């Protein structure tokens, strides 16, 4: 009897579903396909955070690996919640030209899929700062800055450009975020590092000492993960499974990244007599950042040119920031996301097939792109500068010298990612000021290959 009742209930449910379900129309099928594509793209962008974690930890020293992993996983978690509560409303709420005034906690918002896609973008912007401030910033201070970035600073930029704000009304083009996401994160990182200062042992007088990452293969894995996720980052920004647009976007993404790799490898060979692995890996990211603004607006050949130029200016950008400005960025995030973000945004004014200068469109679009870049830099620098200044005055943003020498894994988390052969804390506790230099050198090289020189001129 129970089996019969179960069969009747199951058959009834099928009948009721078939009888009363909404009719299938071409529009409903298209909506389902579009929604599924956006969700797949959102998942790919989420997976990029694994790439960021691998790049940052691989390009940093072993003694700070856990701290970097904690920053990345807390960034996506805190960022998603803050963006849900406040950020989405500021970015896409009813516009007054400068920020949104509705949609907080998604009140009155029906398109949850669009929120998910934008939430993982917001966390991507914030995590750019993580790599630049690695190895010496307090976790608590970083997390407070993340709250401000995802809850207010980034959403204001997003509203100006994607939410119907004043920059978008000028005709500014940023298809997937060379400026909105990458330049905003890079400017925030640059300002934070200015307040934070360089790592111990990075600069000695006029010399610039390289502090090698402990696991470049791990960093390479991160680059491949980011490249993979970028197909969703750019492709999903179509906001529809458009068969005429998505393949073009993914193709320009692939070609620009490839151009960035080739150019950075060849240019580093010319510039430094050897192909630099870390620069070449960053070349892929530079090409990806460069194409993100115009990925739907340029030709395939234009994408290659954008990537090639991005690879060259990346090398010079890293050197200028490190050697001339003496701003210590362990992973090159400021050059990758900032310098290449500016280039990619301006490149739209040159290579946009409809209005670009190369195609006879004049300099109007280029001027709008430059204005947008300048406005975003000013807003982000002012907002992050004020925020970090307050954080620094309130309780400091940098760990103590002894904690930095021992490594943030131990000082911030009481553990280590790897089992070391000697105790760092016992080594550092009884050192005199004169002996500290030797200790710094040993700790700086911990996790590096024994064949690497202790100090060399940075690129």
């Amino acid at each position: 009897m129970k089996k019969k009742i179960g069969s009747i209930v199951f058959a009834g449910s099928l009948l009721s579903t078939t009888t009363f379900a909404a009719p299938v129309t071409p529009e409903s099928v298209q909506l389902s396909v579009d929604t599924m594509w956006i969700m797949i793209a959102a998942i790919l962008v989420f997976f990029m955070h694994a790439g960021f974690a691998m790049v940052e930890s691989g390009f940093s020293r072993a003694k700070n690996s856990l701290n970097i992993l904690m920053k990345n996983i807390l960034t996506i978690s805190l960022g998603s919640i803050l963006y849900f509560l406040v950020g989405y409303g500021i970015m896409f709420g009813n516009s007054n030209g400068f920020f949104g005034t509705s949609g907080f906690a998604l009140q009155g918002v029906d398109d949850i899929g669009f929120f998910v896609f934008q939430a993982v973008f917001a966390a991507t912007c914030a995590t750019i700062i993580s790599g630049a401030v690695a190895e010496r910033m307090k976790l608590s201070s970083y997390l407070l800055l993340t709250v401000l970035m995802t809850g207010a600073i980034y959403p204001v930029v997003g509203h100006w450009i994607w939410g119907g704000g004043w920059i978008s009304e000028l005709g500014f083009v940023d298809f997937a975020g060379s400026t909105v996401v990458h330049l905003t994160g890079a400017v925030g990182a640059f300002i934070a590092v200015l307040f934070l200062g360089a790592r111990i042992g990075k600069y000695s007088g006029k010399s610039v000492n390289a502090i090698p990452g402990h696991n470049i293969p791990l960093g390479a894995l991160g680059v491949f993960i980011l490249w993979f996720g970028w197909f969703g980052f750019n492709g999903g920004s179509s906001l529809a499974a458009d068969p005429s647009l998505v393949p073009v976007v993914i193709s320009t993404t692939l070609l620009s990244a490839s151009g960035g790799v080739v150019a950075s490898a060849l240019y580093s060979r010319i510039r430094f007599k050897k192909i630099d692995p870390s620069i070449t890996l960053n070349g892929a990211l530079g090409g990806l950042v460069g194409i993100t603004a115009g990925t739907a607006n340029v030709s395939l050949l234009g994408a290659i040119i954008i990537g090639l130029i991005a690879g060259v200016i990346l090398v010079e950008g890293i050197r200028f920031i490190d050697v001339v400005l003496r701003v210590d960025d362990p992973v090159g995030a400021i050059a990758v996301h900032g310098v290449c973000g500016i280039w990619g945004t301006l490149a739209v004014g040159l290579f946009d097939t409809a209005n670009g200068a190369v195609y006879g469109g004049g300099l109007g679009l280029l001027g709008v792109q430059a204005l947008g870049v300048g406005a975003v830099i000013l807003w982000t620098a002012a907002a992050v500068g004020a925020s970090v200044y307050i954080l620094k005055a309130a309780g400091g943003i940098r760990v103590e010298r002894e904690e930095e020498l021992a490594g943030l894994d131990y000082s911030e988390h009481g553990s280590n990612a790897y089992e070391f052969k000697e105790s760092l804390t016992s080594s550092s506790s009884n050192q005199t000021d004169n002996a500290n230099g030797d200790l710094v050198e040993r700790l700086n090289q911990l996790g590096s290959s024994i064949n690497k020189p202790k100090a060399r001129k940075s690129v």
Side-chain angles (χ1 to χ4, degrees):
M1 180 62 70
K2 289 182 178 181
K3 291 182 178 180
K4 290 183 179 180
I5 292 175
S7 300
I8 292 172
V9 171
F10 178 68
S13 66
L14 289 179
L15 179 62
S16 62
T17 301
T18 305
T19 303
F20 299 105
V24 177
T25 64
E27 291 76 14
S28 67
V29 172
Q30 184 64 54
L31 177 62
S32 297
V33 173
D34 290 343
T35 301
M36 182 58 67
W37 167 236
I38 298 303
M39 291 300 91
I40 292 172
I43 293 169
L44 288 173
V45 177
F46 176 88
F47 189 53
M48 289 175 68
H49 289 272
F52 279 115
M54 297 300 99
V55 168
E56 292 172 21
S57 58
F59 284 8
S60 302
R61 290 167 291 183
K63 62 182 180 179
N64 298 301
S65 298
L66 286 181
N67 182 256
I68 288 170
L69 296 178
M70 289 301 96
K71 285 194 298 183
N72 277 271
I73 196 168
L74 286 168
T75 295
I76 184 66
S77 303
L78 275 175
S80 298
I81 294 172
L82 262 295
Y83 193 74
F84 162 74
L85 293 174
V86 182
Y88 184 88
I90 293 176
M91 192 160 172
F92 293 105
N94 295 331
S95 177
N96 61 17
F98 294 93
F99 55 86
T101 58
S102 63
F104 300 105
L106 299 188
Q107 293 298 309
V109 176
D110 296 325
D111 193 351
I112 305 299
F114 182 69
F115 156 73
V116 173
F117 185 67
Q118 292 299 330
V120 290
F121 264 59
T124 299
C125 175
T127 203
I128 292 170
I129 299 176
S130 172
V133 302
E135 305 196 309
R136 74 271 202 204
M137 189 173 191
K138 290 181 179 179
L139 180 62
S140 58
S141 298
Y142 168 78
L143 293 178
L144 287 172
L145 184 56
T146 296
V147 168
L148 294 170
M149 285 293 294
T150 55
I153 298 171
Y154 164 79
V156 167
V157 174
H159 185 79
W160 288 358
I161 297 173
W162 289 342
W166 69 276
I167 294 180
S168 66
E169 293 180 352
L170 298 175
F172 186 86
V173 177
D174 189 1
F175 184 79
S178 287
T179 287
V180 175
V181 179
H182 299 285
L183 179 58
T184 302
V187 173
F190 182 78
I191 298 299
V193 173
L194 287 182
F195 280 92
L196 193 61
R199 291 168 292 174
I200 296 172
K202 174 64 178 178
Y203 300 110
S204 303
K206 294 184 179 180
S207 65
V208 180
N209 302 313
I211 303 178
H214 84 283
N215 195 330
I216 300 303
L218 187 66
L221 175 62
V223 169
F224 277 110
I225 291 174
L226 286 170
W227 194 339
F228 173 70
W230 226 290
F231 293 127
F233 193 95
N234 286 358
S237 295
S238 63
L239 303 180
D242 186 337
S244 63
L245 178 60
V246 173
V248 172
V249 169
I250 291 178
S251 296
T252 54
T253 301
L254 172 66
L255 292 174
S256 182
S258 301
V261 170
V262 172
S264 59
L266 292 179
Y267 189 70
S268 68
R269 177 68 176 84
I270 295 170
R271 192 78 162 79
F272 311 115
K273 310 306 179 185
K274 291 183 179 180
I275 295 179
D276 187 288
S278 62
I279 288 180
T280 302
L281 290 169
N282 266 331
L285 304 182
L288 289 164
V289 171
I291 195 58
T292 296
T295 183
N297 300 75
V298 304
S299 68
L300 300 185
L301 179 60
I304 295 174
I305 296 172
I306 290 172
L308 290 171
I309 296 175
V312 173
I313 64 175
L314 171 70
V315 178
E316 292 300 330
I318 290 176
R319 180 175 175 80
F320 180 77
I321 292 168
D322 191 31
V323 177
V324 179
L325 299 182
R326 297 173 77 87
V327 172
D328 183 16
D329 177 1
V331 302
I334 297 171
V336 167
H337 300 277
V339 175
C340 294
I342 292 172
W343 158 241
T345 305
L346 297 179
V348 177
L350 298 174
F351 297 103
D352 182 290
T353 54
N355 300 302
V358 172
Y359 293 88
L363 300 178
L365 179 57
L366 182 62
V368 171
Q369 297 296 100
L371 177 63
V373 166
V376 169
I377 290 175
L378 288 175
W379 157 251
T380 307
V384 173
S387 302
V388 177
Y389 176 82
I390 293 172
L391 290 174
K392 188 173 183 178
I397 59 175
R398 183 165 181 154
V399 299
E400 298 294 333
R401 176 184 175 86
E402 293 76 13
E403 295 175 329
E404 183 177 343
L405 292 176
L408 272 62
D409 286 2
Y410 184 83
S411 63
E412 293 270 16
H413 309 288
S415 184
N416 292 303
Y418 305 97
E419 183 178 353
F420 298 134
K421 292 182 179 179
E422 60 183 51
S423 172
L424 299 181
T425 54
S426 62
S427 297
S428 61
S429 60
N430 297 317
Q431 301 295 319
T432 64
D433 289 340
N434 291 333
N436 261 340
D438 293 336
L439 176 61
V440 169
E441 189 62 40
R442 295 206 311 275
L443 292 173
N444 280 345
Q445 299 303 319
L446 188 60
S448 302
S449 169
I450 59 174
N451 293 322
K452 286 185 178 287
K454 289 186 175 181
R456 60 177 174 84
K457 286 288 185 180
S458 171
V459 298

